[in-house]
Amino acid sequence: MLRWIRQQLGFDPPHQSDTRTIYIANRFPQNGHYIPQKFAENRIISSKYTVWNFIPKNLFEQFRRVANFYFLIIFLVQLMIDTPTSPITSGLPLFFVITVTAIKQGYEDWLRHKADNEVNGAPVYVVRSGGLVKTRSKNIRVGDIVRVAKDETFPVDLVLLSSDRVDGSCHVTTASLDGETNLKTHVAVPETAVLQSVANLDTLVAVIECQQPEADLYRFVGRITISHQIEEIVRPLGPESLLLRGARLKNTKEIFGVAVYTGMETKMALNYKSKSQKRSAVEKSMNSFLIIYLIILLFEAVLSTILKYAWQAEEKWDEPWYDQKTEHERNSSKILRFISDFLAFLVLYNFIIPISLYVTVEMQKFLGSFFIGWDLDLYHEETNQRAQVNTSDLNEELGQVEYVFTDKTGTLTENEMQFRECSINGIKYQEINGKLVPEGLTEDSPDGIRLSLMKEEELFLKAVCLCHTVHISADQTDGIGDGHWRANGIVSQLEYYASSPDEKALVEAASRVGVVFTGTNGEGMEVKSLGKPERFKLLHVLEFDPNRRRMSVIVESPSGEKLLFTKGAESSILPHSRGGEIDKTRIHVDEFALKGLRTLCVAYRRFTAEEYQEIDRRLHEARTALQQREERLADVFNFIEKDLELLGATGVEDKLQDKVQETIEALRLAGIKVWVLTGDKHETAVSVSLSCGHFHRTMNILELVQHKSDSTCAEQLRQLARRIKDDHVIQHGLVVDGTSLSLALREHEKLFMEVCRNCSAVLCCRMAPLQKAKVVRLLKTSPEKPITLAIGDGANDVSMIQEAHVGIGIMGKEGRQAVRNSDYAIARFKFLSKLLLVHGHFYYIRIATLVQYFFYKNVCFITPQFLYQFFCLFSQQTLYDSVYLTLYNISFTSLPILMYSLFEQHVHPHVLQSKPTLYRDIRKNALLGFKPFLYWTILGFSHAFVFFYGSYLLMGEDTSLLGNGQILKPNRQMMFGNWTFGTLVFTVMVITVTVKMALETHFWTWINHFVTWGSIVFYFLFSLFYGGIIWPFLHTQDMYFVFVQLLSSGSVWFAIIIIVVTCLFLDVVKKVLCRHLQPTSTEKAQMYSNRVALSDEFIALQPLSRARNQLSRIRWKRIRVQSAQHMTLLKAGTEGRTIGNC
């Protein structure tokens, strides 16, 4: 029982061994010694709360925030001791914040519960007692045989037993797991592939031994032992046998599989890891400001407490006639009285800490993130994809980026591969109109036309057609025959599917020149060479891995010869080759790379019968091993892939995306350094960098490549540092490869960073995925602490994207894994410029002003309260009514700043894009630095002094005190007392801080006008309503008729106008003088933007309703809204543009 409890709490995991044993169909050994293993139920739990723990768990999480915990303490103090303000003044805002957040989180968790119940209750079919039984997904147990039909998702992790195909293969798509949209082929072992009916499967007696659950989607180690008559057959199980929960069955009628991992032990559930929380620079500044204001609060409370006791040292002020002490108060401890008074002052001044700031910031980030998705300039029409926001917490960080780390393939390029050239047996060829033509010849020349292929050419093309993971659509494989062949013997267009665009381009190119891969049939691969069919038996596949950087297949030719075909990077093929035109091919590979082509080398090897038997034995032993299978396979692969005969090399072009050069140039002008991190070879990467503008032709390119030792790497780094110092006038670009980078980061990190910081552009080639993340971390943790952004499109970019401050995924052709793990996702690299230069700029300006303004208006709010204590003998009398204390931040001043933070455009968006240098003005958190903070704080204190002393001087002179505590001015019937004075100060303050927000606003919409002037009107109407009626549920009503009396005096209106003008006059004069005498580049741009008209191609960054109005003004003929999820925009003279899910 104790162990079960520990397991439920997570202290004692139930699986202690490295492997698990699964009896198929749960046919356990019939002896008394076997104890069945305990496995997880097939329930998916993605929810965070239950009905029982929601309230305590949610409250605990919310009160971990400093501001919430602080206001809870203040509220408890108000309940425990006699304080000048009601507990409602702190409790109501706190309750509002906690409740809103709890409702939001509770609703989100309810949706997760709902989704979990749908998944766990989905109907499935399980083989039990010789028949198919319909049950719920949550009832599946480890060992059950499950049937899955076409287009259904797998309810558990299954080992494939059989399918409706003879060879036991099936196709799946794992788009919901890793974003890969291509079809993947999975195969069953031959002994179970023939069991295609429920009756046959019911006779299966087998045991699976496999590793315990792990999160790696692409790793599975196991073996199946099948009892066949009197013998036992052992077969290896790998990733090709495992069907993952969440994947979908395609192009296959049905499959049967045995459940090996269930519920929260499936690989999909193990990948439910939340990303590390990223915090923006603005949030860190906000917390720093909060600490400073907390110190100010403590200082004011301590000072007031000390002054109170200094004042009461005089006997006449210790017990005034209107405030006699009780006997208990006279005899109480002075220390306790001091602490009690200190806490009372703390409560009185606590509103200097704005609790509503956090709620407003969260609302601004959440609502503001919709503008990115709504922006038509970030919509890609060809793919019907709009920008996507996965993390709204980092919106303002887009305006602070200093380094951009970008992948090359699929990010700067289209990832659409086109075959251009190849080298066969030392001769370069080009493809011209479906024919391979040697370099220097044309199709029209006599030697350029050949009706047959040379032996070397045919072998090379067969290697390309056999060494790959490409497969053909199932609809086409069934009908491939003579009818698909043209008169010239070349196959008509087949639809190929591949996980690698390079492989697809090569197979398609081979088919165009006459050697066509026509699909697989059982264990065979079918190829037609100029119409002549050949069948190769596929014996083994040596899968690609990033360490070897190559893949191989072992096939048996129609003549019975055993052949190994290998393709991979030239650095992994050429060193293992002992025959062929190695030197010529190496030269051709370098020439291809200089043209910006992606290169692969192709080689082969013939095996004798004895050699193949040895290889087959070693492969079987390695693949059936449960321990260290990867290491054993790597050793066997290296043993096989040696003594190769080089056949040639290929050159495939990956086109640059549109406007890449302009985007990189705009980022450079904005002061952002761009680093390209790619796995391509040195020459290819440099060529692409030059063509995309990352490197300029006039730039001095420095190289740190091909270093094998620490000493040579360090010496080269010192030489580069000296060259940069000597030639500091010109721009430098640095090229570094993965091997040299590893050496540089190991011992010479500081020197390497010094060289990199002095280079305008850096290119890292031959990079492994983890090396990309290391480079980002290196810059991120450097002494300057720059803000970094990483952008990529593939699974190999995920670590880099997660490491950077801001991660952006490209919706490319390498799946959606980068998009799923990113903070933002865009369809093309060119959209990055607007995302940073416009959206990032706006978001930063908005939230920086929001934070500063919140602290400013709270200083204005609470400083008069502090000053008032000097006039009431520090008796802790409040200046404002408790309702005003509660509603100041919630109602009277909240909406203008919220609308400002959503809609403000201090410079026209078109100007921000056309003048990237404006981005430099906000870098390094410029608007939330010490000087702006000091300016807003001093402004708040000065305005507060004017509010208080202006009201006092204008309305408090020549008064006589009446017995009822009110003041009567001679020759006037106005009653002027404590609450009247406080209300006058409060009225002036609400008007001033609201008009101050209006002065800060540059972009006015009807919403801004409505909330700005509406807030002032609402305050006046509320005050008249609140003070004009006797409310029976209020214990006291000090404000009854106060506001009406106040506004009935013309001198009060005059005082309000004078004080507001006095507060804002100096502020306006400062702005005017600075703008005309010493304008900043942003202020110049503001004056310029006033003269900028909307161009035909520009759509302002606004909500859709406002975008529609602007579109009509810039000669868009009509907008047709087809549905809430689908909008078609028709522009004059152009075809329709469609935005889905806007």
Side-chain angles (χ1 to χ4, degrees):
M1 183 65 182
L2 181 61
R3 182 178 178 181
W4 181 85
I5 294 173
R6 288 176 59 82
Q7 288 177 1
Q8 297 304 310
L9 294 174
F11 299 121
D12 188 15
H15 304 301
Q16 300 297 331
S17 62
D18 294 330
T19 62
R20 58 168 53 184
T21 303
I22 300 161
Y23 292 86
I24 294 180
N26 292 308
R27 293 190 177 91
F28 302 117
Q30 299 301 315
N31 58 64
H33 301 291
Y34 176 73
I35 300 175
Q37 287 180 273
K38 297 290 185 181
F39 301 115
E41 293 182 341
N42 193 38
R43 287 177 180 269
I44 287 293
I45 303 173
S46 62
S47 54
K48 192 175 181 180
Y49 306 106
T50 65
V51 174
W52 310 109
N53 71 9
F54 173 72
I55 292 177
K57 191 173 181 179
N58 186 265
L59 288 177
F60 173 75
E61 289 176 350
Q62 291 207 57
F63 284 118
R64 288 170 65 184
R65 299 184 71 167
V66 176
N68 290 348
F69 184 72
Y70 163 77
F71 272 90
L72 176 65
I73 297 299
I74 293 295
F75 176 65
L76 294 176
V77 168
Q78 287 178 295
L79 290 175
M80 290 187 294
I81 67 172
D82 183 22
T83 56
T85 58
S86 167
I88 295 175
T89 58
S90 295
L92 188 61
L94 179 64
F95 177 77
F96 174 76
V97 170
I98 297 296
T99 303
V100 168
T101 307
I103 291 172
K104 171 179 170 288
Q105 294 178 350
Y107 174 71
E108 290 174 348
D109 204 61
W110 176 76
L111 293 178
R112 287 191 284 267
H113 271 284
K114 189 176 178 183
D116 288 347
N117 291 336
E118 288 180 5
V119 171
N120 295 330
V124 294
Y125 288 92
V126 179
V127 177
R128 286 179 186 163
S129 304
L132 273 180
V133 178
K134 186 176 180 179
T135 184
R136 294 180 180 274
S137 175
K138 62 184 179 183
N139 297 327
I140 297 176
R141 298 169 297 173
V142 171
D144 281 344
I145 299 175
V146 183
R147 192 205 75 170
V148 180
K150 182 180 178 181
D151 292 327
E152 290 182 353
T153 57
F154 301 115
V156 291
D157 287 352
L158 300 166
V159 166
L160 179 61
L161 294 178
S162 65
S163 72
D164 63 321
R165 299 183 180 185
V166 178
D167 61 355
S169 66
C170 69
H171 297 307
V172 304
T173 176
T174 57
S176 62
L177 295 173
D178 58 9
E180 303 289 347
T181 54
N182 56 285
L183 297 180
K184 295 180 174 64
T185 304
H186 292 257
V187 292
V189 297
E191 286 73 20
T192 63
V194 297
L195 306 176
Q196 295 180 305
S197 66
V198 174
N200 290 336
L201 284 167
D202 196 48
T203 64
L204 176 64
V205 178
V207 179
I208 291 177
E209 296 172 272
C210 62
Q211 62 185 152
Q212 293 292 358
E214 67 172 10
D216 191 341
L217 295 175
Y218 310 106
R219 186 174 184 270
F220 177 68
V221 178
R223 66 186 175 202
I224 182 170
T225 305
I226 303 161
S227 299
H228 185 67
Q229 295 177 354
I230 59 172
E231 63 174 340
E232 289 188 345
I233 301 171
V234 180
R235 294 287 184 184
L237 298 175
E240 72 284 350
S241 303
L242 187 67
L243 305 172
L244 301 178
R245 176 175 188 147
R248 190 179 294 273
L249 184 65
K250 291 287 187 182
N251 290 2
T252 310
K253 185 179 177 181
E254 66 176 11
I255 65 97
F256 290 93
V258 59
V260 289
Y261 304 130
T262 53
M264 299 307 292
E265 292 182 340
T266 59
K267 289 184 180 289
M268 183 181 75
L270 293 174
N271 277 275
Y272 280 158
K273 295 177 180 176
S274 57
K275 293 181 290 185
S276 59
Q277 188 68 30
K278 296 181 180 181
R279 294 176 61 207
S280 68
V282 170
E283 187 178 346
K284 295 172 185 174
S285 298
M286 198 163 69
N287 291 337
S288 301
F289 296 161
L290 199 66
I291 293 172
I292 292 173
Y293 274 90
L294 193 60
I295 293 171
I296 293 174
L297 168 65
L298 294 173
F299 171 76
E300 289 182 348
V302 170
L303 180 63
S304 298
T305 308
I306 292 172
L307 289 176
K308 175 180 181 177
Y309 283 91
W311 201 295
Q312 290 180 354
E314 295 184 41
E315 189 175 345
K316 66 176 181 176
W317 296 120
D318 186 28
E319 283 191 60
W321 59 269
Y322 54 84
D323 190 17
Q324 294 289 317
K325 293 180 180 179
T326 63
E327 192 65 30
H328 175 72
E329 288 174 334
R330 291 193 186 99
N331 297 329
S332 61
S333 167
K334 289 186 177 181
I335 296 176
L336 290 177
R337 273 190 290 159
F338 185 91
I339 294 173
S340 177
D341 286 329
F342 168 75
L343 292 175
F345 280 117
L346 204 64
V347 169
L348 191 65
Y349 304 146
N350 81 85
F351 285 94
I352 198 172
I353 307 295
I355 186 174
S356 55
L357 172 62
Y358 288 95
V359 177
T360 308
V361 166
E362 283 190 8
M363 289 176 65
Q364 188 270 344
K365 289 183 175 183
F366 174 71
L367 296 175
S369 63
F370 287 104
F371 290 107
I372 292 178
W374 287 340
D375 189 356
L376 302 184
D377 287 342
L378 301 184
Y379 167 69
H380 192 242
E381 189 174 358
E382 288 77 9
T383 57
N384 191 30
Q385 290 172 327
R386 61 190 179 97
Q388 180 179 319
V389 179
N390 298 328
T391 307
S392 60
D393 292 340
L394 302 173
N395 291 342
E396 65 276 8
E397 206 81 332
L398 294 171
Q400 296 294 294
V401 175
E402 296 172 64
Y403 283 86
V404 167
F405 299 91
T406 175
D407 178 41
K408 183 184 76 67
T409 306
T411 305
L412 301 179
T413 62
E414 290 283 2
N415 204 11
E416 286 184 358
M417 308 303 173
Q418 293 180 342
F419 177 81
R420 291 300 182 204
E421 297 183 67
C422 66
S423 171
I424 305 175
N425 200 32
I427 302 173
K428 277 209 294 187
Y429 292 83
Q430 292 179 323
E431 183 193 356
I432 302 178
N433 293 332
K435 296 182 179 66
L436 275 185
V437 180
E439 187 180 40
L441 300 178
T442 64
E443 188 184 12
D444 299 328
S445 61
D447 296 330
I449 302 175
R450 289 177 297 159
L451 300 177
S452 62
L453 295 169
M454 296 172 60
K455 182 182 177 182
E456 294 83 0
E457 296 171 351
E458 187 174 3
L459 186 59
F460 174 84
L461 293 172
K462 284 180 181 177
V464 169
C465 283
L466 293 171
C467 186
H468 57 71
T469 58
V470 176
H471 56 269
I472 304 172
S473 171
D475 298 332
Q476 292 180 304
T477 54
D478 297 336
I480 292 177
D482 294 336
H484 282 257
W485 292 84
R486 301 194 191 104
N488 62 358
I490 298 178
V491 74
S492 63
Q493 189 66 39
L494 293 172
E495 189 175 1
Y496 292 109
Y497 295 93
S499 57
S500 166
D502 298 76
E503 287 188 338
K504 184 170 182 269
L506 292 174
V507 173
E508 287 175 342
S511 71
R512 290 194 297 270
V513 298
V515 180
V516 184
F517 169 65
T518 57
T520 58
N521 186 3
E523 295 180 351
M525 300 181 74
E526 296 178 354
V527 173
K528 288 190 177 181
S529 179
L530 294 176
K532 179 185 175 183
E534 293 184 72
R535 180 182 172 85
F536 291 81
K537 185 179 180 181
L538 181 61
L539 301 174
H540 293 285
V541 177
L542 280 57
E543 297 83 2
F544 173 86
D545 68 67
N547 295 322
R548 286 168 41 245
R549 298 182 66 83
R550 58 184 180 267
M551 78 157 287
S552 303
V553 293
I554 302 176
V555 297
E556 183 180 326
S557 69
S559 62
E561 194 175 20
K562 305 294 192 302
L563 298 172
L564 169 79
F565 290 114
T566 303
K567 78 169 187 295
E570 87 288 344
S571 59
S572 64
I573 298 292
L574 297 182
H576 297 273
S577 300
R578 63 172 178 80
E581 297 290 344
I582 297 175
D583 294 333
K584 289 183 179 179
T585 304
R586 182 180 281 114
I587 294 171
H588 291 163
V589 166
D590 292 340
E591 290 175 359
F592 294 162
L594 288 173
K595 295 177 183 178
L597 303 181
R598 293 164 62 87
T599 60
L600 287 173
C601 287
V602 182
Y604 82 108
R605 177 184 174 185
R606 287 186 170 89
F607 295 122
T608 64
E610 294 77 15
E611 286 176 332
Y612 176 73
Q613 286 179 359
E614 174 68 11
I615 287 169
D616 188 56
R617 183 186 63 79
R618 288 196 177 196
L619 279 172
H620 181 75
E621 289 177 356
R623 282 182 165 148
T624 54
L626 286 180
Q627 305 296 331
Q628 298 180 326
R629 180 182 291 185
E630 287 86 354
E631 293 80 357
R632 294 187 184 185
L633 281 174
D635 293 338
V636 176
F637 289 173
N638 289 327
F639 172 75
I640 297 170
E641 296 167 332
K642 64 181 182 179
D643 300 331
L644 303 174
E645 290 285 330
L646 186 64
L647 289 172
T650 61
V652 177
E653 181 185 30
D654 189 6
K655 293 193 303 181
L656 279 177
Q657 288 187 17
D658 186 32
K659 294 186 178 179
V660 167
Q661 189 165 355
E662 293 89 331
T663 303
I664 290 178
E665 185 59 29
L667 296 178
R668 184 177 286 118
L669 290 173
I672 300 172
K673 290 188 176 182
V674 180
W675 287 34
V676 176
L677 312 180
T678 178
D680 279 352
K681 71 189 302 288
H682 172 207
E683 293 81 4
T684 304
V686 172
S687 176
V688 173
S689 284
L690 287 168
S691 62
C692 72
H694 179 237
F695 284 166
H696 288 297
R697 298 288 174 183
T698 57
M699 190 179 284
N700 182 23
I701 298 178
L702 310 173
E703 292 188 349
L704 183 67
V705 294
Q706 296 180 348
H707 288 284
K708 305 295 183 184
S709 65
D710 281 339
S711 57
T712 59
C713 183
E715 181 57 32
Q716 179 68 10
L717 278 171
R718 294 188 191 96
Q719 290 180 13
L720 294 178
R722 285 195 294 270
R723 284 185 62 184
I724 292 172
K725 190 174 181 181
D726 296 339
D727 303 330
H728 62 277
V729 177
I730 62 174
Q731 288 186 325
H732 300 276
L734 177 66
V735 182
V736 57
D737 63 10
T739 308
S740 303
L741 180 71
S742 298
L743 295 171
L745 297 184
R746 190 184 305 164
E747 299 288 342
H748 318 289
E749 185 177 300
K750 189 174 180 181
L751 185 58
F752 176 70
M753 280 301 302
E754 182 185 344
V755 171
C756 289
R757 276 197 297 268
N758 292 314
C759 291
S760 303
V762 177
L763 169 64
C764 299
C765 54
R766 289 300 190 208
M767 296 283 285
L770 287 178
Q771 281 185 311
K772 293 183 178 183
K774 284 183 181 178
V775 170
V776 175
R777 191 182 307 120
L778 179 68
L779 263 294
K780 208 171 106 174
T781 56
S782 62
E784 294 82 6
K785 296 286 190 295
I787 304 298
T788 58
L789 179 148
I791 179 169
D793 73 316
N796 61 328
D797 302 315
V798 169
S799 55
M800 170 178 76
I801 286 171
Q802 290 182 332
E803 183 64 44
H805 291 94
V806 182
I808 296 184
I810 295 286
M811 303 170 191
K813 296 181 174 60
E814 290 192 20
R816 293 298 183 102
Q817 199 164 350
V819 172
R820 286 158 59 88
N821 287 277
S822 64
D823 303 307
Y824 302 88
I826 52 179
R828 287 293 181 269
F829 183 79
K830 66 180 180 180
F831 296 150
L832 184 63
S833 62
K834 184 167 188 185
L835 190 65
L836 298 185
L837 304 183
V838 178
H839 287 278
H841 201 123
F842 282 156
Y843 283 133
Y844 178 74
I845 291 290
R846 292 165 181 169
I847 201 165
T849 306
L850 183 151
V851 171
Q852 299 280 30
Y853 177 79
F854 246 96
F855 284 110
Y856 153 78
K857 72 186 182 76
N858 277 49
V859 167
C860 290
F861 179 42
I862 217 65
T863 303
Q865 181 77 72
F866 173 70
L867 296 175
Y868 184 62
Q869 297 308 303
F870 288 88
F871 292 83
C872 67
L873 302 183
F874 295 93
S875 61
Q876 298 152 8
Q877 169 64 38
T878 178
L879 179 63
Y880 313 120
D881 182 72
S882 59
V883 172
Y884 285 164
L885 284 171
T886 305
L887 296 182
Y888 176 75
N889 279 316
I890 293 178
S891 300
F892 298 147
T893 61
S894 59
L895 284 179
I897 182 59
L898 179 60
M899 293 303 108
Y900 171 93
S901 66
L902 290 176
F903 299 122
E904 173 64 1
Q905 296 179 16
H906 66 299
V907 180
H908 199 286
H910 184 64
V911 176
L912 287 178
Q913 260 192 299
S914 61
K915 296 180 179 293
T917 51
L918 296 176
Y919 191 85
R920 296 172 182 258
D921 293 349
I922 61 171
R923 288 174 61 213
K924 295 289 186 184
N925 208 10
L927 299 186
L928 284 174
F930 181 72
K931 286 185 178 179
F933 169 72
L934 194 62
Y935 166 75
W936 280 94
T937 302
I938 292 174
L939 188 68
F941 278 114
S942 61
H943 284 184
F945 273 82
V946 175
F947 298 156
F948 185 84
Y949 286 107
S951 300
Y952 179 77
L953 293 174
L954 289 174
M955 304 301 296
E957 291 294 319
D958 192 19
T959 61
S960 58
L961 191 65
L962 300 183
N964 59 0
Q966 294 180 327
I967 299 173
L968 177 66
K969 270 188 166 295
N971 306 320
R972 192 143 39 92
Q973 296 301 315
M974 178 187 170
M975 306 302 289
F976 192 76
N978 171 49
W979 297 114
T980 311
F981 177 72
T983 304
L984 174 62
V985 173
F986 191 84
T987 302
V988 170
M989 177 174 55
V990 169
I991 296 172
T992 302
V993 297
T994 305
V995 176
K996 171 63 179 172
M997 188 73 264
L999 291 175
E1000 293 296 318
T1001 304
H1002 296 90
F1003 184 75
W1004 285 91
T1005 66
W1006 68 266
I1007 299 177
N1008 293 85
H1009 282 292
F1010 178 77
V1011 299
T1012 301
W1013 315 122
S1015 293
I1016 297 175
V1017 172
F1018 172 75
Y1019 164 71
F1020 277 88
L1021 293 177
F1022 174 84
S1023 297
L1024 288 171
F1025 190 65
Y1026 169 61
I1029 299 175
I1030 297 178
W1031 302 97
F1033 53 82
L1034 293 178
H1035 178 64
T1036 60
Q1037 196 161 347
D1038 299 319
M1039 293 296 294
Y1040 178 67
F1041 222 63
V1042 169
F1043 199 70
V1044 176
Q1045 268 192 333
L1046 189 69
L1047 298 186
S1048 63
S1049 170
S1051 58
V1052 169
W1053 286 100
F1054 176 74
I1056 291 173
I1057 295 171
I1058 288 294
I1059 295 170
V1060 171
V1061 170
T1062 303
C1063 283
L1064 298 176
F1065 177 73
L1066 292 177
D1067 200 36
V1068 172
V1069 169
K1070 171 189 169 294
K1071 284 179 177 291
V1072 171
L1073 291 178
C1074 290
R1075 183 177 289 268
H1076 287 84
L1077 298 179
Q1078 201 173 9
T1080 63
S1081 56
T1082 301
E1083 288 168 343
K1084 291 177 183 176
Q1086 287 172 345
M1087 290 184 280
Y1088 169 75
S1089 66
N1090 292 332
R1091 300 190 296 270
V1092 172
L1094 284 173
S1095 68
D1096 285 350
E1097 296 301 321
F1098 175 73
I1099 300 169
L1101 174 64
Q1102 295 170 38
L1104 286 179
S1105 58
R1106 189 164 181 85
R1108 295 191 191 106
N1109 296 331
Q1110 290 209 353
L1111 287 169
S1112 63
R1113 290 203 298 270
I1114 58 175
R1115 295 186 287 111
W1116 286 68
K1117 283 191 173 178
R1118 69 179 182 274
I1119 297 175
R1120 185 173 68 255
V1121 179
Q1122 295 177 335
S1123 69
Q1125 298 287 314
H1126 192 76
M1127 185 172 78
T1128 301
L1129 306 175
L1130 297 179
K1131 188 178 178 182
T1134 64
E1135 60 182 347
R1137 302 178 69 188
T1138 302
I1139 293 184
N1141 300 324
C1142 275

